[in-house]
Amino acid sequence: MARIPIIKVGSALIATVDEDLTDDDALEFQERLNAAIERTGAAGVLIDVTLVETIDSFLGRLLHEIAVGARLLGATTVVAGIQPPVAMTLVELGLQLDGVKTALTAERGLAMLAAPSRANRAR
Amino acid sequence: MLDERVLTISGEADIVTARQAARQFAAALGFNAMDQSRITTAVSELARNVVRYATNSHGVVHVRETEAGGRIGIEIVVADEGPGIADTEQAMRRGFSSGNGLGLGLSGTGRLMDEMDMKSAPGEGTCVTIRKWRR
């Protein structure tokens, strides 16, 4: 069974999605992430999807919900490492992940969380 | 010789199995990474519809090689004996959803593939055929 490890580094939580998730795995991750945000008071969440080969409408919608839920708990989410074919597929599917911050790589995603832009601070 | 794989869907874990099989098949037929992603995602959407809506989440997926006019393609047929759909055109329209989704599943599947046909009637199950041609 896929378990997505969630680790805390500084004030951020980092989760690496490294398997072909079932819907239940993904929903379980959402719950565990929310609990981890509440427990740690993390200000940022990095979800690294570099290894994920398929993001369908279910997982795309869930990533959006995760980001919105984390924001309501006071944390900024960055989804990092969406592979180019996955990005194109999401666009064609009609899922643009509006309002979800993204970064090309996990490294850039962490940099975004470490140094929020002026716009982020104002919010 | 044209190759074929048949998979049974009976629960959520089979969505993952179906998309892995579709990806391997598409890769073996020489589809590029972009098309492999489209095909895999389309199969994931159709397999999830079976798990969500078909009787006992039961359905069958056929993944096969197809040929027309000298072109090689992949054809995937996803069939179930579920409640069926009265208005298949409405079901394939963007934004239509009978469940709690965004209504992107079937319409999105159509956009990802080159061809999609759907046969269904109330009480008679649903059979969706999708094809993509190798460029």
Side-chain angles (χ1 to χ4, degrees), chain B residues 2-92:
Chain B
L2 301 181
D3 205 3
E4 169 157 356
R5 249 191 102 175
V6 183
L7 298 136
T8 303
I9 293 184
S10 57
E12 206 198 73
D14 298 321
I15 300 174
V16 174
T17 313
R19 66 185 178 224
Q20 285 169 345
R23 181 178 290 277
Q24 282 167 9
F25 209 100
L29 286 178
F31 281 96
N32 64 26
M34 184 62 238
D35 280 340
Q36 286 175 36
S37 176
R38 291 184 174 111
I39 293 161
T40 308
T41 305
V43 169
S44 192
E45 301 295 341
L46 296 180
R48 181 172 292 101
N49 281 350
V50 171
V51 173
R52 289 251 170 95
Y53 303 116
T55 309
N56 301 324
S57 294
H58 182 79
V60 178
V61 180
H62 290 257
V63 184
R64 58 173 83 105
E65 185 179 346
T66 184
E67 249 178 29
R71 290 184 305 175
I72 297 288
I74 190 169
E75 178 176 88
I76 297 145
V77 180
V78 180
D80 68 57
E81 290 173 3
I85 296 167
D87 186 344
T88 54
E89 285 193 14
Q90 181 193 45
M92 289 190 279

Side-chain angles (χ1 to χ4, degrees), chain B residues 106-118:
Chain B
L106 274 177
S107 67
T109 300
R111 285 193 299 279
L112 293 172
M113 301 300 287
D114 293 329
E115 293 166 26
M116 171 160 92
D117 347 285
M118 186 170 188

